[in-house]
Amino acid sequence: MIQLTDLKKTYGEKTAVDIPEFTIHDGDMLGLVGNNGAGKTTLFRLILDLLKADSGRVGITLPHRDAETEPTTINPAENEEWKNFTGAYIDEGFLIDFLTPEEYFAFIGKVNNMDETAIAEREKDFERFMAGEIMGQKKLIRDYSAGNKQKIGIISALFNRPQVVILDEPFNFLDPSSQNILKKLLTDYHDATGATILISSHNLQHTVNISNRVALLEHGHILRDIPNLDGSAKQVLKDYFDIKEV
């Protein structure tokens, strides 16, 4: 569980995030939507302790170790244990771009105590998503296209099977086929692991398709927390953004 309490971040006179209280439950697949400048990326960076909040708190509940242990909630700014079960990709800054994808995935695997066999098996899980364009290209990550860098970043976020996944605009730069493959990849991963997955996206259709909740963020405020059973959030978003189709 991720609990936001009185969380505020400003840049001069601009309010980037102002959330009195919001809870992301274990197993949620939460879509975060809003116009440019709504505060989506800032919120993710606050959760990941990449930005210091002006006030308030992010609380992350550690996964249960056993049935008899009381759940422990930590502040990511004070305790780094959350990093052991969290995977995230925000932008190219998360990549080690002077490595090849093979070297990068091997590095992530070794950090997570995976041997070469386990790393190779994990890479197979992403073969369809990679579409033959990632591995074996004999070039550094920095020389890949924006779309393929996006794929490498998403794969790296999922590589160690984290229980919390945070992806900022994951559908950006991907062609339509890759977007659809990514939707299946995320839903299958969620179904298999029960992970808590947070995505932000300007693509409202994809967000409605995969999320069980949709949070509408504008000017740093969560205006609506919309249940999305069988795509029921579609009409709410359609009305709010005044568009013909979502």
Side-chain angles (χ1 to χ4, degrees), residues 1 26 61-73 81 85 163:
M1 182 171 71
D26 291 342
T61 302
L62 301 180
H64 289 284
R65 292 188 175 88
D66 55 66
E68 298 179 356
T69 304
E70 288 294 324
T72 301
T73 300
E81 193 170 347
F85 57 86
Q163 279 299 300

Short mmCIF file of all heavy atoms in Angstrom, two decimals, residues 1 26 61-73 81 85 163:
data_model
loop_
_atom_site.label_atom_id
_atom_site.label_comp_id
_atom_site.label_asym_id
_atom_site.label_seq_id
_atom_site.Cartn_x
_atom_site.Cartn_y
_atom_site.Cartn_z
N MET A 1 0.84 -1.19 0.00
CA MET A 1 0.00 0.00 0.00
C MET A 1 0.88 1.24 0.00
O MET A 1 1.92 1.28 0.64
CB MET A 1 -0.90 0.00 1.24
CG MET A 1 -1.87 1.16 1.32
SD MET A 1 -3.07 0.97 2.65
CE MET A 1 -2.02 1.21 4.08
N ASP A 26 -2.74 -2.31 -2.22
CA ASP A 26 -1.99 -3.43 -2.78
C ASP A 26 -2.80 -4.07 -3.90
O ASP A 26 -4.00 -4.36 -3.75
CB ASP A 26 -1.70 -4.48 -1.70
CG ASP A 26 -0.70 -3.99 -0.67
OD1 ASP A 26 0.01 -3.01 -0.95
OD2 ASP A 26 -0.63 -4.60 0.42
N THR A 61 3.95 0.59 2.49
CA THR A 61 3.85 -0.57 3.36
C THR A 61 4.65 -1.72 2.77
O THR A 61 4.48 -2.08 1.60
CB THR A 61 2.38 -1.00 3.53
OG1 THR A 61 1.63 0.10 4.07
CG2 THR A 61 2.27 -2.19 4.47
N LEU A 62 5.54 -2.29 3.57
CA LEU A 62 6.39 -3.37 3.11
C LEU A 62 5.55 -4.63 2.90
O LEU A 62 4.57 -4.86 3.62
CB LEU A 62 7.49 -3.66 4.13
CG LEU A 62 8.44 -2.49 4.46
CD1 LEU A 62 9.47 -2.93 5.49
CD2 LEU A 62 9.13 -1.98 3.21
N PRO A 63 5.92 -5.47 1.91
CA PRO A 63 5.18 -6.72 1.70
C PRO A 63 5.23 -7.59 2.95
O PRO A 63 6.21 -7.59 3.71
CB PRO A 63 5.95 -7.39 0.55
CG PRO A 63 6.66 -6.28 -0.14
CD PRO A 63 7.00 -5.29 0.92
N HIS A 64 4.15 -8.37 3.18
CA HIS A 64 4.09 -9.25 4.34
C HIS A 64 5.18 -10.31 4.26
O HIS A 64 5.35 -10.96 3.24
CB HIS A 64 2.73 -9.95 4.41
CG HIS A 64 1.61 -9.03 4.79
ND1 HIS A 64 1.40 -8.59 6.07
CD2 HIS A 64 0.64 -8.46 4.04
CE1 HIS A 64 0.34 -7.80 6.11
NE2 HIS A 64 -0.14 -7.70 4.89
N ARG A 65 5.90 -10.46 5.35
CA ARG A 65 6.89 -11.53 5.42
C ARG A 65 6.24 -12.84 5.84
O ARG A 65 6.62 -13.91 5.40
CB ARG A 65 8.00 -11.15 6.41
CG ARG A 65 8.86 -9.98 5.93
CD ARG A 65 10.05 -9.77 6.84
NE ARG A 65 10.93 -8.74 6.33
CZ ARG A 65 10.80 -7.44 6.60
NH1 ARG A 65 9.81 -7.03 7.39
NH2 ARG A 65 11.65 -6.56 6.12
N ASP A 66 5.27 -12.77 6.72
CA ASP A 66 4.51 -13.95 7.13
C ASP A 66 3.19 -13.48 7.74
O ASP A 66 2.99 -12.28 7.98
CB ASP A 66 5.30 -14.81 8.13
CG ASP A 66 5.74 -14.03 9.36
OD1 ASP A 66 4.87 -13.60 10.14
OD2 ASP A 66 6.96 -13.84 9.53
N ALA A 67 2.30 -14.44 7.98
CA ALA A 67 0.95 -14.10 8.43
C ALA A 67 0.94 -13.48 9.82
O ALA A 67 0.00 -12.77 10.18
CB ALA A 67 0.08 -15.35 8.40
N GLU A 68 1.97 -13.74 10.61
CA GLU A 68 1.98 -13.27 12.00
C GLU A 68 2.65 -11.91 12.16
O GLU A 68 2.57 -11.29 13.22
CB GLU A 68 2.70 -14.29 12.89
CG GLU A 68 2.01 -15.65 12.92
CD GLU A 68 2.75 -16.65 13.79
OE1 GLU A 68 3.83 -16.28 14.31
OE2 GLU A 68 2.26 -17.77 13.95
N THR A 69 3.29 -11.43 11.13
CA THR A 69 4.01 -10.16 11.21
C THR A 69 3.10 -8.99 10.88
O THR A 69 2.41 -9.01 9.86
CB THR A 69 5.22 -10.16 10.25
OG1 THR A 69 6.06 -11.26 10.54
CG2 THR A 69 6.00 -8.86 10.38
N GLU A 70 3.10 -8.00 11.73
CA GLU A 70 2.32 -6.80 11.46
C GLU A 70 2.96 -6.03 10.29
O GLU A 70 4.18 -5.94 10.19
CB GLU A 70 2.29 -5.90 12.70
CG GLU A 70 1.43 -6.42 13.84
CD GLU A 70 -0.03 -6.45 13.48
OE1 GLU A 70 -0.49 -5.52 12.77
OE2 GLU A 70 -0.73 -7.39 13.87
N PRO A 71 2.13 -5.51 9.39
CA PRO A 71 2.69 -4.74 8.27
C PRO A 71 3.44 -3.50 8.76
O PRO A 71 3.04 -2.86 9.73
CB PRO A 71 1.46 -4.36 7.45
CG PRO A 71 0.30 -4.48 8.38
CD PRO A 71 0.66 -5.56 9.35
N THR A 72 4.54 -3.20 8.08
CA THR A 72 5.37 -2.06 8.43
C THR A 72 5.31 -1.03 7.32
O THR A 72 5.49 -1.35 6.15
CB THR A 72 6.84 -2.50 8.63
OG1 THR A 72 6.91 -3.48 9.66
CG2 THR A 72 7.71 -1.31 9.00
N THR A 73 5.04 0.21 7.68
CA THR A 73 4.99 1.30 6.71
C THR A 73 6.22 2.18 6.89
O THR A 73 6.54 2.60 8.00
CB THR A 73 3.72 2.14 6.88
OG1 THR A 73 2.58 1.30 6.69
CG2 THR A 73 3.67 3.26 5.86
N GLU A 81 14.40 0.22 2.04
CA GLU A 81 13.97 -1.17 1.83
C GLU A 81 12.97 -1.30 0.69
O GLU A 81 12.86 -2.34 0.04
CB GLU A 81 13.39 -1.73 3.13
CG GLU A 81 13.20 -3.23 3.10
CD GLU A 81 12.86 -3.82 4.46
OE1 GLU A 81 12.99 -3.10 5.48
OE2 GLU A 81 12.45 -4.99 4.49
N PHE A 85 11.66 -4.08 -3.76
CA PHE A 85 10.46 -4.65 -4.40
C PHE A 85 9.78 -3.65 -5.33
O PHE A 85 8.61 -3.81 -5.68
CB PHE A 85 9.47 -5.14 -3.33
CG PHE A 85 9.02 -4.09 -2.33
CD1 PHE A 85 7.95 -3.25 -2.61
CD2 PHE A 85 9.69 -3.94 -1.13
CE1 PHE A 85 7.55 -2.29 -1.70
CE2 PHE A 85 9.29 -2.98 -0.21
CZ PHE A 85 8.21 -2.14 -0.49
N GLN A 163 7.08 -5.96 -6.85
CA GLN A 163 5.70 -5.92 -6.36
C GLN A 163 5.06 -4.55 -6.53
O GLN A 163 3.85 -4.41 -6.42
CB GLN A 163 5.66 -6.36 -4.89
CG GLN A 163 5.69 -7.86 -4.71
CD GLN A 163 4.50 -8.55 -5.38
OE1 GLN A 163 3.35 -8.29 -5.05
NE2 GLN A 163 4.77 -9.42 -6.34
#
